Amino acid sequence: MASLRSATPKLRNYFRDNYIPQICEALLCGLLVTCPEDPLRYLEHMIIVIIQNGLENLLWDMCIDPSLKPKIRRLSETYLEQLFGLDDQLVTPELMIKACTFYTGRLVKNHFGGWREVAIPRANQEAILAEKMDRAITHDNFRCQKVFFYHWLSYVITCRERLIVSLLRLRQMFCVQRQKIILAKWKEKARHKSKTREDELILKHELQLRKWKLKSKVPEEKLLSPERSSSDTAAAAAPVEFDVSALPEQAIMQIFLYLSFRDTIMCGQVNRSWMAMTQRGFLWNAIDFSTTKNIADKCVVSTLQRWRLTVLRLNFRGCLFRTKTLKAVSHCKNLQELNVSDCQSLTDESMRHISEGCPGVLYLNLSNTTITNRTMRLLPRYFHNLQNLSLAYCRKFTDKGLQYLNLGNGCHKLIYLDLSGCTQISVQGFRNIASSCTGIMHLTINDMPTLTDNCVKVLVEKCPRISTVVFIGSPHLSDCAFKALSSCNLKKIRFEGNKRITDACFKYIDKNYPGINHIYMVDCKALTDSSLKSMSVLKQLTVLNLTNCVSCPNLHYLSLRNCEHLTDLAIECISGMLSLVSVDLSGTLISNESLNILSRHRKLRELSLSECANITDIGIRAYCKTSLFLEHLDISYCRQLSDDIIKTVAIFCTHITSLNIAGCPKITDGGLETLSAKCHYLHILDISGCILLTDQILQDLQMGCKQLRILKMRFCRSISVAAAHRMSSVVQHQEYSSDDPPSWFGYDSEGNPLEETQSRIQTRNYSELIVKESFSSDEESPDANLI
């Protein structure tokens, strides 16, 4: 074998290329394992098998019977390569012996060294232990010093903080005391200045009143002479001729825009000039057929055909036109707004013609019509830009019709959707809406008792841009609806008549809707004071409809009319709302103390105190002294007030433009004389039921209040018909009657109070009084007339 290692390369390559080692190995392994009786025949047979299978597929166990093959791991390609010297392995047996000898020696050395260190003690063990002890003592001393230092540091910091707190407290006490002294001096000076200013105003008022009385001595004939009145009446009655067509185009546009469809047609028949004016295109941008009754279908069709390129807005609300007439809407190619609500003649066929001819519609109102799923299929197919859709009280379409909204381009631009009264819609229907109308911002669903929290949740999941929700008449909604809406940026919510909404809903509003500005939650019985406390952080709130008071920085108008349980504490909260400009406290039980508290506001422009029986002249005076810019004051039906309040208003509120003292029987001519002398900007005055006023006040008003436009003096028996007639030529609108005050005024014709039960027979709403018949005929009452 050694000779083969030193053989020539040619011989070695011959052995390797002809697989000689592999053939010998396979035959030798077969002989060793099988041990055949006739080895030569066995070798002959195996050589034939090897030739048939090919040398490429030769394996060392090919000549062994499968049942006798040993289960051993194969170490190399062949065992005979080493025997023949054909293996080029680096690890030879000699090298393996050296490696094992080296590894054994290394193990012995390592283990012997470790055993020696453990078994044989060191000579300097004591020195090592002493060194370790010193090291441990040093470490322990350092640790103790560190702990002591930390304790000392915390003590120093605590003492320093206490010292700082004490110094701050002393500084605060000093500042508070100094502020008290400054405020006391300022208050004293302010009181003195206010007293001085009040005395100056009173003195100025007395001087002006004295001059006024000197001027008022002018004979009545020069002010309101019958001759002058008759001449003025004749001049006013004389017709003034002018040509409307001579006005500027903008003025003509504003005049004709107020005309209805029928009036515009009639104006076009006056003359050629008027007909030319009615033919201007801007007058036909918006046509309202709902205000015109009994109009012929032919007229509607001809109008739509003539102005088909000009019409932008059409209103057919409640019209009973034929189906053919409604089809004429398809001629208006530029139509943007269409209202066909309450049109019972509207059919799916009509909507097909409209949708094919008017693809640019942005606003579509189909409420209370008989449309079906056929119309719902047309909406996404033709109205690609639809933004406002009302399907209120349309009960003939189904959930499948709502699914059609997602066909084609869909109604993905829809912003406003009204589904009020559509009780046939199920949860699946709302799911269809959410899938097709993902951009909805304003959602109105009124009068739907079937609406549940789950429906709201389904809508909100795919419509996160909702900012306005109106759910009036949905009693099954609860706080879970607010929780579902927490993912939306709500600006306006409207609920009414819901008993399942509790204070928890306002917690969601507080946390998730900081920018909300409109809250309307009426008849929600489960709400308590906790809700009002939660709303105190809503800085953007401008409209609030609740039954109590809350701090709202942006609230401008607040009405607490007829809140009988309102107390002075609520008025104190109102005085802190500096954004308020108008407050209505009519019919409440507030007292003079409330007016004294409200006087701190100083920025109110309008105040209504009608039917407040507990206020007196003192309270009105306390309020008016600080409200120099008050413009509107309503103290009607406060029977306890006297002329002092008129004097107070005349002295301090000289900028007042509207004053209502109806139902105040103690007001006399002296009070109105003072008002006329000082309040020159007065536009509206109501003195109805002031039974002590005479004709003299009309002279004073004419001379002092030259800007007076509206004068109401019903139930004024001491004012004559002739004086009222003369005054009617001075003001733009006047109401007058000399009847006795009605029983609900609370007093008789002499000013004597009536029984409480009798004074409350009728409602005290003065607006109803204006609606009543204003004029009394001469046959019924010769002494009562309305000029």
Side-chain angles (χ1 to χ4, degrees):
M1 295 301 175
S3 61
L4 291 178
R5 292 183 179 276
S6 59
T8 61
K10 182 177 180 181
L11 180 61
R12 292 171 61 87
N13 291 336
Y14 173 79
F15 269 71
R16 185 180 291 108
D17 295 341
N18 292 286
Y19 298 95
I20 301 300
Q22 288 84 350
I23 294 172
C24 294
E25 180 183 23
L27 294 175
L28 183 59
C29 290
L31 289 172
L32 294 176
V33 176
T34 306
C35 299
E37 294 179 358
D38 191 351
L40 296 178
R41 289 187 178 275
Y42 174 79
L43 292 174
E44 181 183 5
H45 176 69
M46 288 296 104
I47 291 173
I48 295 173
V49 172
I50 291 172
I51 294 173
Q52 291 177 353
N53 292 332
L55 296 176
E56 293 82 3
N57 299 324
L58 180 64
L59 296 175
W60 67 273
D61 58 349
M62 181 178 290
C63 298
I64 302 174
D65 187 78
S67 61
L68 299 177
K69 286 184 179 181
K71 297 181 180 180
I72 59 176
R73 183 170 64 89
R74 179 174 168 183
L75 296 178
S76 62
E77 294 294 332
T78 175
Y79 293 106
L80 296 182
E81 286 185 354
Q82 184 177 357
L83 298 176
F84 288 104
L86 298 179
D87 57 333
D88 297 329
Q89 297 181 2
L90 296 177
V91 181
T92 61
E94 293 83 1
L95 294 177
M96 182 61 71
I97 292 172
K98 289 182 179 181
C100 291
T101 303
F102 176 79
Y103 179 71
T104 305
R106 186 65 179 266
L107 288 177
V108 171
K109 183 179 179 180
N110 291 338
H111 290 287
F112 178 75
W115 170 81
R116 187 179 62 180
E117 291 181 357
V118 174
I120 303 174
R122 294 185 180 181
N124 57 347
Q125 187 70 27
E126 294 180 357
I128 295 174
L129 290 176
E131 184 182 358
K132 289 183 178 180
M133 183 60 68
D134 293 340
R135 223 181 291 170
I137 292 172
T138 304
H139 175 73
D140 184 67
N141 292 336
F142 177 77
R143 186 181 60 82
C144 292
Q145 290 177 0
K146 189 175 181 180
V147 171
F148 294 153
F149 177 77
Y150 283 153
H151 284 291
W152 173 82
L153 181 62
S154 61
Y155 171 75
V156 172
I157 293 175
T158 304
C159 293
R160 186 177 180 181
E161 290 178 352
R162 289 178 181 176
L163 180 61
I164 293 174
V165 171
S166 301
L167 291 175
L168 291 176
R169 194 173 298 172
L170 289 174
R171 182 182 297 178
Q172 185 179 6
M173 292 172 62
F174 174 76
C175 293
V176 170
Q177 190 65 25
R178 185 177 62 178
Q179 288 178 358
K180 286 183 179 180
I181 296 173
I182 294 174
L183 287 175
K185 293 183 178 180
W186 172 83
K187 189 175 182 180
E188 182 179 355
K189 290 184 179 180
R191 188 184 294 110
H192 176 71
K193 187 176 180 180
S194 177
K195 180 65 176 175
T196 304
R197 183 175 59 84
E198 184 178 348
D199 294 339
E200 291 177 355
L201 287 175
I202 293 175
L203 180 60
K204 184 178 179 181
H205 166 71
E206 291 178 353
L207 293 176
Q208 290 181 354
L209 186 60
R210 191 178 302 171
K211 293 180 181 180
W212 169 267
K213 289 182 177 180
L214 291 175
K215 291 182 180 180
S216 63
K217 292 181 180 180
V218 179
E220 181 180 358
E221 292 80 8
K222 294 183 179 180
L223 295 176
L224 291 171
S225 60
E227 294 79 9
R228 183 178 177 183
S229 299
S230 60
S231 62
D232 292 344
T233 305
V240 180
E241 296 182 0
F242 62 92
D243 188 2
V244 177
S245 60
L247 294 174
E249 183 177 355
Q250 294 296 329
I252 297 175
M253 179 178 67
Q254 295 299 324
I255 294 174
F256 279 84
L257 283 177
Y258 285 97
L259 299 179
S260 64
F261 174 77
R262 184 183 294 275
D263 294 336
T264 305
I265 297 298
M266 294 177 65
C267 288
Q269 299 175 356
V270 174
N271 51 42
R272 293 184 178 180
S273 176
W274 282 47
M275 183 179 68
M277 286 187 290
T278 58
Q279 300 303 314
R280 304 191 181 210
F282 64 84
L283 292 178
W284 303 98
N285 288 340
I287 304 178
D288 187 359
F289 294 103
S290 63
T291 59
T292 306
K293 304 298 181 182
N294 301 324
I295 186 172
D297 294 78
K298 183 178 180 181
C299 180
V300 175
V301 174
S302 61
T303 302
L304 295 178
Q305 289 179 347
R306 182 173 183 178
W307 302 104
R308 60 185 180 276
L309 300 179
T310 307
V311 175
L312 300 178
R313 297 180 293 276
L314 283 177
N315 187 359
F316 290 96
R317 181 178 181 181
C319 296
L320 299 176
F321 296 137
R322 293 182 301 177
T323 304
K324 184 179 180 181
T325 303
L326 294 176
K327 291 181 181 179
V329 178
S330 60
H331 299 302
C332 306
K333 304 296 183 182
N334 299 322
L335 188 64
Q336 296 181 2
E337 298 181 12
L338 176 62
N339 186 350
V340 289
S341 58
D342 300 323
C343 290
Q344 301 303 320
S345 57
L346 181 70
T347 61
D348 295 332
E349 186 66 18
S350 303
M351 280 303 303
R352 184 180 67 81
H353 289 280
I354 294 174
S355 58
E356 291 176 354
C358 309
V361 172
L362 303 176
Y363 170 91
L364 182 60
N365 190 343
L366 301 173
S367 58
N368 199 20
T369 57
T370 58
I371 63 167
T372 64
N373 291 345
R374 292 179 58 192
T375 298
M376 300 297 290
R377 187 192 292 267
L378 298 173
L379 298 180
R381 182 180 301 175
Y382 296 101
F383 300 136
H384 300 157
N385 298 319
L386 189 62
Q387 298 179 3
N388 191 311
L389 176 61
S390 177
L391 300 173
Y393 305 99
C394 296
R395 295 190 172 96
K396 291 193 175 182
F397 68 87
T398 62
D399 295 342
K400 188 175 181 180
L402 295 173
Q403 188 177 2
Y404 291 150
L405 296 179
N406 201 23
L407 297 177
N409 294 328
C411 297
H412 300 298
K413 295 184 180 180
L414 203 61
I415 298 176
Y416 175 87
L417 180 62
D418 188 353
L419 297 174
S420 302
C422 299
T423 55
Q424 76 278 13
I425 301 178
S426 63
V427 178
Q428 182 61 37
F430 286 103
R431 188 173 288 108
N432 295 337
I433 296 173
S435 301
S436 57
C437 308
T438 56
I440 291 179
M441 299 178 63
H442 306 280
L443 181 63
T444 301
I445 306 178
N446 297 331
D447 299 331
M448 188 177 290
T450 58
L451 186 65
T452 60
D453 296 334
N454 192 22
C455 298
V456 177
K457 183 179 180 180
V458 168
L459 278 173
V460 172
E461 286 179 352
K462 295 186 178 180
C463 301
R465 298 178 60 190
I466 294 179
S467 61
T468 301
V469 291
V470 181
F471 296 144
I472 297 177
S474 301
H476 297 295
L477 293 180
S478 66
D479 298 334
C480 297
F482 283 88
K483 184 176 181 180
L485 290 168
S486 61
S487 60
C488 303
N489 187 18
L490 289 185
K491 301 294 183 182
K492 176 180 178 180
I493 57 174
R494 291 177 64 89
F495 284 77
E496 184 174 351
N498 194 303
K499 297 181 180 180
R500 300 184 63 188
I501 295 178
T502 63
D503 295 334
C505 73
F506 282 95
K507 295 182 180 179
Y508 292 114
I509 294 176
D510 179 13
K511 295 179 181 179
N512 302 300
Y513 320 135
I516 194 168
N517 55 39
H518 185 113
I519 296 179
Y520 177 91
M521 301 186 72
V522 177
D523 294 334
C524 298
K525 305 298 183 182
L527 299 181
T528 64
D529 294 342
S530 179
S531 300
L532 302 178
K533 185 177 180 180
S534 301
M535 287 191 294
S536 61
V537 298
L538 302 177
K539 306 300 182 183
Q540 305 298 326
L541 192 63
T542 57
V543 177
L544 174 64
N545 194 337
L546 290 175
T547 56
N548 212 325
C549 179
V550 67
S551 176
C552 304
N554 294 327
L555 191 63
H556 299 317
Y557 302 93
L558 178 62
S559 177
L560 300 172
R561 177 181 290 268
N562 297 325
C563 295
E564 298 180 354
H565 300 289
L566 200 68
T567 62
D568 295 340
L569 182 61
I571 303 301
E572 188 170 358
C573 296
I574 294 175
S575 63
M577 303 180 191
L578 300 181
S579 62
L580 281 177
V581 296
S582 176
V583 176
D584 188 353
L585 301 174
S586 302
T588 60
L589 300 178
I590 63 171
S591 60
N592 292 337
E593 182 64 24
S594 299
L595 292 179
N596 195 12
I597 296 173
L598 194 61
S599 64
R600 305 172 190 169
H601 195 283
R602 299 174 182 269
K603 293 183 180 181
L604 286 181
R605 296 293 185 269
E606 301 177 2
L607 179 63
S608 297
L609 301 172
S610 179
E611 300 181 81
C612 294
N614 295 333
I615 62 174
T616 63
D617 297 341
I618 298 175
I620 298 295
R621 182 180 180 84
Y623 174 77
C624 291
K625 285 171 62 175
T626 60
S627 303
L628 304 181
F629 300 99
L630 189 66
E631 298 177 359
H632 171 82
L633 179 62
D634 184 358
I635 49 176
S636 57
Y637 310 108
C638 297
R639 301 189 298 271
Q640 68 279 10
L641 301 181
S642 63
D643 283 342
D644 290 342
I645 58 125
I646 305 298
K647 182 179 179 181
T648 300
V649 172
I651 293 175
F652 300 102
C653 306
T654 56
H655 294 85
I656 194 165
T657 60
S658 175
L659 179 62
N660 188 349
I661 54 175
C664 299
K666 296 182 180 180
I667 304 297
T668 64
D669 291 349
L672 268 296
E673 182 183 16
T674 304
L675 185 72
S676 303
K678 295 296 295 291
C679 300
H680 304 301
Y681 303 103
L682 194 64
H683 293 168
I684 303 173
L685 178 62
D686 191 347
I687 55 175
S688 301
C690 298
I691 56 178
L692 300 181
L693 298 180
T694 63
D695 296 350
Q696 180 63 35
I697 63 112
L698 300 183
Q699 301 178 21
D700 297 337
L701 291 174
Q702 184 181 6
M703 186 168 60
C705 303
K706 298 187 179 299
Q707 297 187 21
L708 189 64
R709 298 292 181 267
I710 300 175
L711 177 60
K712 300 178 182 180
M713 45 185 182
R714 298 173 62 87
F715 314 117
C716 296
R717 298 194 60 185
S718 300
I719 298 178
S720 64
V721 177
H725 180 75
R726 291 193 296 269
M727 192 64 185
S728 64
S729 62
V730 179
V731 296
Q732 294 180 356
H733 177 75
Q734 176 177 304
E735 296 180 6
Y736 166 75
S737 70
S738 58
D739 297 336
D740 291 337
S743 59
W744 53 272
F745 268 49
Y747 55 89
D748 57 15
S749 59
E750 302 298 330
N752 299 319
L754 301 176
E755 294 292 336
E756 187 69 17
T757 55
Q758 183 180 0
S759 64
R760 293 183 179 272
I761 294 177
Q762 301 180 9
T763 181
R764 295 183 178 181
N765 192 345
Y766 192 67
S767 61
E768 295 183 0
L769 175 63
I770 299 177
V771 177
K772 295 180 181 179
E773 185 178 359
S774 303
F775 293 85
S776 301
S777 61
D778 294 338
E779 292 80 9
E780 294 178 354
S781 178
D783 297 330
N785 285 310
L786 178 66
I787 308 300

